[in-house]
Amino acid sequence: MTDSTAVTADPGALAARDKATIVHPHSRIGAPAEPLIVARGRGARIWDVEGRRYLDGTCGLWQCAVGHGRPELAAVAARQMETLEFYSSFGDYSNPQAIALAERLVELAPEGIERVFFTNGGSEGIETAIKLVRFAWAHAGQPERTVILSRTRAYHGVGSASLAATGMPAMKEKMGPLPDGFVHLSEPHAPRTDAGAVDRMVAELEETIERIGAERIAAFVGEPILGVGGMVPPPEGYWPRVQEVLRRHGILLVLDEIVTAFGRTGHWFAAQRYGLEPDAIVTAKGLSSGYVPMGAVLIGRRVLELADGGLFLHGFTYNGHPTCSAVALENLAIIEREGLLERARQIGPRLLERLRPLEQLDHVAEVRGEGLMLGVEVTEAETAAAIAAGCRRDGLIVRAAGVSLVLSPPLVISDAEVDELVERLSANVRACDPEGTLRAAA
Ligand SMILES: Cc1ncc(COP(=O)(O)O)c(C=O)c1O
């Protein structure tokens, strides 16, 4: 599993320099972990600086739809940088790449989406969407419509509003005070056998609206499928019912499609999978497959009508970045050219079917998924962490998110690589007892 073409002079020294200088996201300050230093990638594979090869079961942070190391994207970026690397798109400035990307996004999006606001990533997109819906209501003469509904177990990012909308208490510890005006409903998850789950969730939504008053609620923000929360698809029928309640009360629907958009569910947008016509869709990650930082908030007709004529004093320096836009356009072209939506629709269910037998194990609570977003929930977070560590030793990257192991391989993963993923993950899940003790020989 080693590869002689991989870099580096002295991996040990590199690790020491990393630990001495970088504060990594999600790391303990002053107690850095031994880093896995990634040197290169190709398709669904990555190699570390010592030349060890890994199958990328998560594609980093779920961003890499088209696979690693694509020369087409490098060429587009180089060409664009030589022509115009960046210029502002504030106010009356623009560039051809951002215009073309916005047009393409509107073309691909569900009915009702008409315009695009660019960002550099997901959290910025959620911050933007929350400001935009509040701004829209205020501009339309309803400034009291400020409350944002979201759900427990949701992840919406790390800005103040996006963290306030997030439904993971551990992420908010020692980070306060966070802004008011965020109300969390129960997580949209229930056992497959629980026939009454959707009715209960919808009743809770109705009661919450009744309690707060619809006239105070700006929007409902939700991931179509919980991502960081453990790759949790909602019970069938949940989304159309939620949309119907929101519409009846005039509350806007903002979908956080930062993980789900651009093929992961086998559709351009999960909104299309669930038959939704949201008022805004927040995207990032798969938009550029992570080759450059890029996000986009897709804005629906209703929001545009409410905000019509309003001066929206909000924007990031790198909005509509020409190089990032050019890369994103080519990335979308690759997804289309190579039939990656169909690919996700084919291999997702196969992967799910082959992992489902793990549910027979005592320490596996659930195996679930939609398209190429899959989660294996075990009974203890320590067990999930031990399984992820075992997989990594075996050359497979999976991520432990609380009690769940989350999977989202690049959409280009081959059939043979799918087999390898199933075998290595299954072996490591089976090798773990309920207390999370790994097998003796790693
Ligand atoms: C559903 C969801 N929303 C928001 C974010 C935040 O995006 P970013 O990390 O690009 O700020 C993420 C990141 O993983 C996400 O998965």
Side-chain angles (χ1 to χ4, degrees):
M1 285 223 287
T2 57
D3 171 32
S4 58
T5 61
V7 234
T8 204
D10 185 348
L14 206 52
R17 283 162 55 203
D18 175 281
K19 291 197 280 185
T21 49
I22 298 180
V23 176
H24 288 271
H26 291 230
S27 75
R28 208 170 275 286
I29 293 176
E34 201 56 38
L36 169 62
I37 307 180
V38 182
R40 69 185 185 92
R42 205 61 161 184
R45 303 270 182 194
I46 55 167
W47 285 261
D48 69 16
V49 284
E50 294 180 65
R52 270 192 299 266
R53 191 177 78 153
Y54 302 85
L55 178 58
D56 190 0
T58 62
C59 66
L61 293 171
W62 322 328
Q63 79 288 347
C64 194
V66 301
H68 301 289
R70 311 262 332 201
E72 309 94 301
L73 295 177
V76 163
R79 238 184 355 258
Q80 185 57 44
M81 284 187 193
E82 285 164 7
T83 314
L84 175 70
E85 77 296 343
F86 170 73
Y87 207 80
S88 162
S89 62
F90 274 41
D92 58 354
Y93 288 89
S94 193
N95 66 76
Q97 291 68 36
I99 295 167
L101 178 59
E103 284 174 348
R104 182 69 180 131
L105 288 171
V106 170
E107 213 171 82
L108 296 173
E111 162 61 25
I113 296 293
E114 294 187 348
R115 300 216 179 155
V116 178
F117 187 99
F118 289 112
T119 70
N120 304 295
S123 302
E124 285 185 3
I126 297 291
E127 298 292 324
T128 299
I130 289 173
K131 278 172 87 171
L132 181 61
V133 293
R134 286 173 166 171
F135 176 86
W137 283 121
H139 184 71
Q142 297 190 52
E144 65 291 350
R145 273 216 193 239
T146 57
V147 173
I148 302 293
L149 301 179
S150 65
R151 284 94 44 91
T152 55
R153 207 165 166 177
Y155 181 66
H156 294 300
V158 295
S160 355
S162 49
L163 182 57
T166 291
M168 298 179 168
M171 301 203 65
K172 302 180 182 182
E173 264 171 38
K174 304 179 191 157
M175 301 282 190
L178 288 173
D180 291 335
F182 293 80
V183 174
H184 293 85
L185 301 151
S186 304
E187 60 186 58
H189 177 234
R192 291 194 292 280
T193 48
D194 183 351
V198 173
D199 286 343
R200 282 199 312 278
M201 290 168 195
V202 171
E204 184 199 27
L205 174 61
E206 296 264 26
E207 282 155 22
T208 307
I209 294 171
E210 175 78 29
R211 177 168 50 79
I212 299 169
E215 70 292 346
R216 292 187 50 227
I217 304 174
F220 179 110
V221 177
E223 300 157 87
I225 297 165
L226 299 179
V228 182
M231 300 297 184
V232 185
E236 206 56 53
Y238 169 85
W239 273 119
R241 299 263 314 266
V242 167
Q243 176 170 266
E244 186 281 317
V245 173
L246 298 176
R247 284 218 175 133
R248 191 158 22 89
H249 291 282
I251 298 166
L252 298 167
L253 172 60
V254 176
L255 283 187
D256 178 344
E257 292 230 31
I258 289 161
V259 174
T260 49
F262 310 117
R264 198 141 284 288
T265 68
H267 302 264
W268 285 108
F269 297 91
Q272 293 150 339
R273 153 70 179 86
Y274 292 112
L276 300 176
E277 290 180 7
D279 299 296
I281 302 179
V282 183
T283 71
K285 297 192 191 266
L287 173 57
S288 64
S289 280
Y291 279 68
V292 288
M294 184 76 177
V297 181
L298 315 190
I299 311 169
R301 196 174 299 133
R302 223 170 128 220
V303 178
L304 294 167
E305 282 166 7
L306 291 169
D308 192 41
L311 176 61
F312 190 48
L313 288 175
H314 169 82
F316 310 97
T317 293
Y318 297 120
N319 266 66
H321 196 295
T323 302
C324 301
S325 299
V327 170
L329 265 172
E330 178 60 17
N331 172 64
L332 298 180
I334 293 173
I335 294 175
E336 184 172 41
R337 208 160 55 228
E338 299 187 359
L340 297 184
L341 305 186
E342 293 75 18
R343 180 95 190 121
R345 282 206 292 272
Q346 280 162 11
I347 31 178
R350 251 182 44 212
L351 202 46
L352 184 60
E353 188 190 307
R354 293 195 50 199
L355 291 172
R356 265 251 156 95
L358 293 173
E359 279 185 346
Q360 289 154 11
L361 300 172
D362 275 353
H363 61 297
V364 175
E366 187 178 46
V367 177
R368 57 185 172 241
E370 179 68 43
L372 273 176
M373 292 177 74
L374 295 105
V376 177
E377 185 164 321
V378 293
T379 45
E380 307 283 340
E382 295 73 25
T383 311
I387 293 167
C391 286
R392 199 204 269 194
R393 277 197 295 275
D394 286 351
L396 169 67
I397 307 284
V398 296
R399 181 172 168 197
V403 289
S404 299
L405 291 147
V406 293
L407 287 171
S408 58
L411 309 185
V412 294
I413 188 169
S414 70
D415 291 346
E417 287 164 339
V418 167
D419 292 343
E420 184 181 322
L421 190 159
V422 169
E423 278 155 30
R424 291 193 184 171
L425 177 58
S426 302
N428 276 284
V429 171
R430 288 180 195 285
C432 265
D433 72 13
E435 279 74 50
T437 322
L438 264 187
R439 68 199 182 289

